Amino acid sequence: MTTWGLIGSGNIGSTLARLAVDAGDHVVLSNSRGPETLSDLVAQLGPNARAATASEAAAAGDVVVVTIPLKNRDEVPVDELAGKVVIDTMNYYPERDGQIAELDDETSTTSELLQQHLPTSMVVKAFNNIFFQHLAVLGRPSGDPERSALPIAGDDDDAKARVTAALDTLGYDAVDLGPLAEGWRTQRDTAVYVTPYAADAGDPTKGASPASADAVREKVAQAQRYRDQA
């Protein structure tokens, strides 16, 4: 049984919490407004869920998910996450996060910035390319022909193996893109972002469609071809 620590409990965070609880895992949720603001969500999730501060969620989690606006990344607890696997779901939205030079000139990625902030943690990129409503409904048992896959990236192979196992528990395969520097392949301006799982690519809210590992790999290849032509 895994305990998921969630730093951020918005759309992705709350969806992951529900999937984890449904899989029999425990979750410790946090947000920027305080544990008391999560009482309704915790009540819905049941006895395997509790609310806490970000530091408490970081300390409690076997795997910790950072799912907050990128501009707040430096608020993520450092000491409590030492030696832990940290999943980064963040995307860069300049209109919300402000201009970040390393991302604008593509010399870094969101996960590499988080890894710099968490030098003693093992950061793995995951869950950033799927719409939360798709994430909620596309999970399938291993071997199901309609099982979907999610791309991951990370510098530590053991950490990626743990995230792959965690995804499997939630009903998803993993497509390993390589090191954190390859996380650009899933950012919001690529073919891998949201559309592989959308029944209607023009309006993701209109339904979900499975995306196999092979389908995700093809979208990743499209991202590479687009960059090569740019």
Side-chain angles (χ1 to χ4, degrees), residues 7-146:
I7 298 176
S9 299
N11 289 332
I12 288 290
S14 60
T15 299
L16 285 174
R18 289 187 174 91
L19 293 176
V21 166
D22 288 347
D25 286 340
H26 287 245
V27 297
V28 182
L29 300 109
S30 69
N31 64 15
S32 61
R33 301 187 306 279
E36 66 280 358
T37 65
L38 294 167
S39 56
D40 289 346
L41 176 58
V42 168
Q44 293 170 21
L45 293 172
N48 281 8
R50 66 181 176 91
T53 65
S55 293
E56 290 166 344
D62 301 314
V63 173
V64 178
V65 182
V66 174
T67 180
I68 60 177
L70 181 62
K71 64 181 179 180
N72 298 330
R73 66 191 181 281
D74 289 343
E75 299 174 10
V76 175
V78 177
D79 293 342
E80 293 86 347
L81 292 174
K84 294 197 175 191
V85 176
V86 177
I87 298 176
D88 165 34
T89 80
M90 297 184 290
N91 287 301
Y92 175 39
Y93 296 92
E95 63 275 17
R96 177 197 66 190
D97 301 314
Q99 299 297 143
I100 300 174
E102 304 98 306
L103 302 182
D104 291 337
D105 65 15
E106 299 185 332
T107 58
S108 190
T109 63
T110 63
S111 296
E112 289 176 292
L113 294 180
L114 183 61
Q115 183 68 81
Q116 291 172 16
H117 176 66
L118 301 173
T120 57
S121 304
M122 290 78 72
V123 174
V124 177
K125 190 72 174 182
F127 298 117
N128 69 298
N129 76 309
I130 187 168
F131 186 45
F132 76 97
Q133 291 181 355
H134 299 160
L135 178 64
V137 300
L138 285 178
R140 299 288 187 276
S142 181
D144 190 299
E146 292 195 338

